[in-house]
Amino acid sequence: MSLLELKNVYKIYGELHALDDVSLTVEKGEWVSIMGPSGSGKSTMMNIIGCMDKPTKGEVLLDGVDIAKESKKNLTNIRRDKIGLIFQQFHLVNYLTALENVMLAQYYHSMPDEKEALEALERVGLADRAKHLPSQLSGGEQQRVCVARALINYPEIILADEPTGNLDEKNEEIVVELFHKLHDEGTTLIVVTHDPEVAEVAQRTLVLRDGKLSKEIVNDHFTGKIRFDDQNPF
Amino acid sequence: MKKRRMFIRMITASLMRRRSRMIVALLSITIGATILSGLVSIYYDVPKQMGAQFRNYGANMILTASGDSFKMSDVQSARAVFDEEEIVGIAPFRYENVRINDIPFVAAGTDAEEAKATSPYWAVEGDWFSAQGDVLVGSGVAESFRLKTGDMIEIAYTPEGNDESSEDGEIVLDNYDYFNVVGILETGGSEENYIYMSMDDMQALTQTEERVDVTEMSISASGDELSDYIDEINAKVPAVRASVVKRVTASEATVLTKLQALVLLVTVIVLALTMICVATTMTAVVAERRKEIGLRKAIGASDKSIIQEFMGESMLLGLFGGAIGSVLGYVFAQQVSVNVFSSSISFRPLLVPITMIVSIAVTGISSLVPIRSATDIDPALVLKGE
């Protein structure tokens, strides 16, 4: 069974089809990038996969559960238990320290554990910045705190929306390297990005256009070869 | 780490690290709590304060003899019924017919200090009597003999049975004594035709047993309290009959009720204004933190935990505001009391926890609506990166 499966998903706002008959599957442990121009439906798809929105039509199976049919309250629980979110704007609570921001995710999930939170910060190389407030951290550091927060509860999927959009090249590299590590550890990653360099390090890149999946690119990053597959049914 | 510890850590971090924002909210709660606790202090102190003011109008209770007469010991027994603090003055009076230059007058024996306290409106030119042989004469009497302070007068008292030919034929002579006029009394009433002296001098002049005819009592109490005292005195001291001076007590009660109603009305209005003010502040706080709420929801916060966190914050603010407000409220009430009633207000320790609880409740209730609306925030919309 696939970890995530979208079957003929539509999201319609009046006349606008933000998602138009989208179907896709993501296997456990896979690293998938989603690319597409503005207005192509990337954010809508992120919100639906991230349990923050429901499709107008279609099935969204996460770990076998159709989240399209779940109540708002259950969606919150699924999001809390199965999904780690990373945002372009980092979105840290500005009056909590890096450590407390990571612990916040533990607090809503189960039990705050300072030691474990510190270990998560260590994994993203920020153990020495644990007591700093977001305003005292650079953009790259804030994004790494965000990664630590996303992975602290061992989610099924890490969902990253333009995670490198606000970072310089050096920090972009650090974050991509972190994704590598997570992928190696078996975490499922779905990364929405504008940046082809970030997209191509994933195993697969899905291209969205006008609410439809227009292209799937399978990246063989172990050999460095990129294979375009226009015959893909998407 | 326990969940509760993290909860406390979060809300204290929110209050401490967002100090400038929170000070505004705290200020509105503190001002409300200050005025509220101040007004409640005044509300409860008004009867006491006004009671003291009312006592300027004279006695509100009198003791008369239930039989023929009563003694100083009965007055002492009646005095024991009251809290010493409530007693403004208890002045016993003994009246006798005397003569000056063969013209009859009424002389009253009393206690100068107590009479001064029960009748603060008496105007005395010169001094009250203090030494033996001193008298205070009413201005009417003084006019009759052109008396001024420092003059000596001869007062005659005719003992009972002195009708020139008593039954056994023995002739009883009048008692005479010389007195020193130390002051002239003006009251605008019948007291101006009396002569006042000490109880001891009266006893020496009449050479009869000690006796009290009437006792004027000025007590800092009103309404039901006064009635209770009267019942108690009538039960405990059989020689006297206590009663209220209705003219004084009834008008006092009316004024008090109206004044307290006014203070109560103002208190309720302030309470309502405080709630509006706090609700507005909390609405602003919630609006400002939409993104944070969206984020919290995105990472899995339930509506319940969002409500708990914001409620925790606002109630903590209420607690601080209430604590500061109860202290400042006392200072405020003290200022009002000193400026209006010219006397200090008593500190009521119970008002501190009550102010804190009310402040927490008011902050909680007025935050409820904006916090409830916080749970409607859609995380997807708020977190949109653009």
Side-chain angles (χ1 to χ4, degrees):
Chain A
M1 187 179 64
S2 306
L3 180 61
L4 177 72
E5 198 172 352
L6 273 67
K7 288 183 188 168
N8 311 104
V9 169
Y10 291 82
K11 182 72 187 181
I12 302 164
Y13 300 101
E15 296 284 296
L16 177 76
H17 283 55
L19 288 182
D20 195 357
D21 194 17
V22 173
S23 297
L24 65 88
T25 55
V26 176
E27 300 300 328
K28 199 169 170 58
E30 222 187 338
W31 179 354
V32 177
S33 294
I34 298 171
M35 277 189 81
S38 292
S40 59
K42 294 193 308 287
S43 295
T44 309
M45 192 148 110
M46 271 290 291
N47 289 340
I48 289 174
I49 299 172
C51 297
M52 291 190 276
D53 203 353
K54 284 196 209 179
T56 314
K57 231 169 33 178
E59 278 180 29
V60 182
L61 296 168
L62 177 61
D63 227 2
V65 177
D66 186 2
I67 56 177
K69 292 197 176 74
E70 292 298 326
S71 68
K72 217 174 143 190
K73 195 179 164 197
N74 281 351
L75 284 184
T76 303
N77 293 344
I78 295 170
R79 190 162 64 231
R80 186 185 63 204
D81 295 338
K82 296 190 187 291
I83 296 165
L85 290 166
I86 297 169
F87 312 96
Q88 180 178 6
Q89 314 280 355
F90 324 135
H91 292 308
L92 297 172
V93 177
N94 57 12
Y95 56 84
L96 296 180
T97 62
L99 184 69
E100 287 164 345
N101 264 290
V102 177
M103 285 164 74
L104 191 64
Q106 292 179 310
Y107 173 78
Y108 292 127
H109 182 263
S110 47
M111 274 289 159
D113 183 335
E114 198 164 339
K115 203 171 139 253
E116 209 179 327
L118 203 59
E119 278 166 14
L121 282 176
E122 223 167 69
R123 280 177 73 186
V124 299
L126 283 177
D128 55 334
R129 312 286 274 167
K131 303 275 182 206
H132 288 63
L133 291 172
S135 57
Q136 298 164 319
L137 300 173
S138 71
E141 286 171 328
Q142 288 188 46
Q143 191 58 296
R144 278 143 72 191
V145 175
C146 196
V147 173
R149 181 181 63 193
L151 59 84
I152 188 72
N153 294 321
Y154 305 101
E156 302 275 0
I157 300 177
I158 285 190
L159 204 54
D161 186 9
E162 299 283 1
T164 57
N166 277 350
L167 301 182
D168 58 22
E169 215 166 289
K170 194 171 146 255
N171 278 301
E172 185 179 301
E173 260 174 50
I174 296 172
V175 170
V176 170
E177 191 51 44
L178 274 170
F179 286 170
H180 262 298
K181 262 205 263 176
L182 290 171
H183 177 242
D184 290 346
E185 289 163 9
T187 311
T188 311
L189 286 162
I190 299 177
V191 181
V192 173
T193 183
H194 267 107
D195 188 344
E197 279 181 38
V198 176
E200 74 181 11
V201 288
Q203 289 168 301
R204 261 198 305 157
T205 303
L206 305 171
V207 181
L208 267 174
R209 194 175 292 272
D210 299 328
K212 290 177 187 290
L213 272 179
S214 66
K215 199 184 278 180
E216 182 185 22
I217 307 163
V218 177
N219 308 316
D220 189 351
H221 42 91
F222 298 109
T223 59
K225 289 177 190 163
I226 298 173
R227 184 166 62 91
F228 289 91
D229 188 355
D230 280 329
Q231 280 73 51
N232 192 287
F234 299 114
Chain B
M1 183 188 272
K2 289 263 168 60
K3 268 195 128 155
R4 197 185 316 143
R5 264 183 65 194
M6 181 68 191
F7 174 77
I8 293 167
R9 192 164 160 176
M10 276 194 304
I11 61 172
T12 46
S14 169
L15 297 184
M16 299 310 289
R17 296 189 190 138
R18 299 170 60 245
R19 232 168 290 165
S20 55
R21 295 264 187 258
M22 283 303 159
I23 277 173
V24 180
L26 188 64
L27 204 66
S28 77
I29 299 163
T30 305
I31 291 171
T34 301
I35 297 175
L36 206 63
S37 82
L39 284 177
V40 172
S41 279
I42 293 168
Y43 177 80
Y44 281 108
D45 249 55
V46 157
K48 203 188 99 189
Q49 302 287 354
M50 288 307 288
Q53 299 289 312
F54 286 141
R55 298 284 52 78
N56 285 331
Y57 303 124
N60 52 356
M61 196 194 271
I62 54 165
L63 298 182
T64 49
S66 57
D68 288 341
S69 65
F70 60 104
K71 296 184 182 306
M72 276 309 284
S73 58
D74 297 318
V75 176
Q76 291 307 328
S77 309
R79 188 185 187 102
V81 164
F82 304 103
D83 281 343
E84 202 54 41
E85 281 174 11
E86 289 174 323
I87 300 172
V88 178
I90 293 182
F93 289 95
R94 172 184 180 178
Y95 297 103
E96 294 292 353
N97 291 314
V98 295
R99 279 173 291 122
I100 303 173
N101 283 356
D102 271 340
I103 302 170
F105 286 100
V106 175
T110 187
D111 180 307
E113 288 308 314
E114 297 288 346
K116 222 189 284 184
T118 50
S119 308
Y121 56 93
W122 284 9
V124 172
E125 190 196 318
D127 291 315
W128 281 75
F129 50 89
S130 55
Q132 193 189 347
D134 285 352
V135 286
L136 178 67
V137 297
S139 57
V141 182
E143 240 168 67
S144 306
F145 301 102
R146 295 176 191 275
L147 290 173
K148 51 189 189 305
T149 55
D151 288 350
M152 296 293 284
I153 49 168
E154 187 195 50
I155 299 175
Y157 170 76
T158 308
E160 251 178 81
N162 186 2
D163 55 359
E164 308 244 328
S165 53
S166 57
E167 279 171 26
D168 54 4
E170 196 182 325
I171 292 170
V172 182
L173 293 173
D174 283 356
N175 301 337
Y176 291 93
D177 250 328
Y178 285 95
F179 290 90
N180 180 22
V181 177
V182 288
I184 313 290
L185 172 69
E186 275 184 49
T187 67
S190 59
E191 297 89 351
E192 290 184 354
N193 296 319
Y194 292 0
I195 301 154
Y196 290 90
M197 62 182 71
S198 73
M199 278 290 197
D200 291 340
D201 281 349
M202 178 61 93
Q203 215 174 313
L205 176 68
T206 57
Q207 291 173 14
T208 51
E209 261 184 56
E210 172 233 342
R211 196 189 83 223
V212 180
D213 294 316
V214 67
T215 300
E216 290 187 357
M217 307 172 104
S218 186
I219 306 298
S220 216
S222 58
D224 295 341
E225 238 183 323
L226 218 50
S227 316
D228 291 345
Y229 282 135
I230 283 168
D231 293 342
E232 200 176 338
I233 292 171
N234 287 337
K236 283 187 179 165
V237 194
V240 301
R241 203 177 70 79
S243 51
V244 286
V245 182
K246 281 245 166 60
R247 179 169 49 89
V248 176
T249 54
S251 59
E252 273 180 25
T254 315
V255 173
L256 260 188
T257 313
K258 286 188 176 166
L259 201 62
Q260 277 196 304
L262 182 71
V263 176
L264 191 68
L265 185 72
V266 175
T267 310
V268 171
I269 291 170
V270 168
L271 193 68
L273 288 177
T274 308
M275 282 180 96
I276 294 169
C277 190
V278 173
T280 314
T281 314
M282 286 314 289
T283 309
V285 166
V286 170
E288 193 183 81
R289 293 167 73 184
R290 282 174 65 82
K291 260 207 168 130
E292 184 197 326
I293 296 164
L295 167 74
R296 285 175 185 269
K297 290 185 83 170
I299 61 173
S302 61
D303 288 356
K304 196 178 140 203
S305 32
I306 300 272
I307 291 173
Q308 274 176 353
E309 283 150 30
F310 275 79
M311 266 297 176
E313 265 182 40
S314 66
M315 284 174 147
L316 201 62
L317 274 179
L319 179 79
F320 287 143
I324 303 170
S326 60
V327 174
L328 293 182
Y330 172 66
V331 176
F332 164 69
Q334 189 72 274
Q335 285 301 314
V336 170
S337 186
V338 165
N339 288 314
V340 177
F341 301 110
S342 312
S343 75
S344 66
I345 213 157
S346 47
F347 181 70
R348 293 165 190 275
L350 194 63
L351 211 53
V352 176
I354 289 176
T355 307
M356 276 154 76
I357 291 167
V358 170
S359 171
I360 290 171
V362 167
T363 321
I365 293 166
S366 52
S367 308
L368 211 58
V369 175
I371 292 174
R372 280 280 335 160
S373 76
T375 61
D376 294 336
I377 290 172
D378 183 352
L381 286 179
V382 175
L383 298 177
K384 244 184 186 168
E386 287 88 36

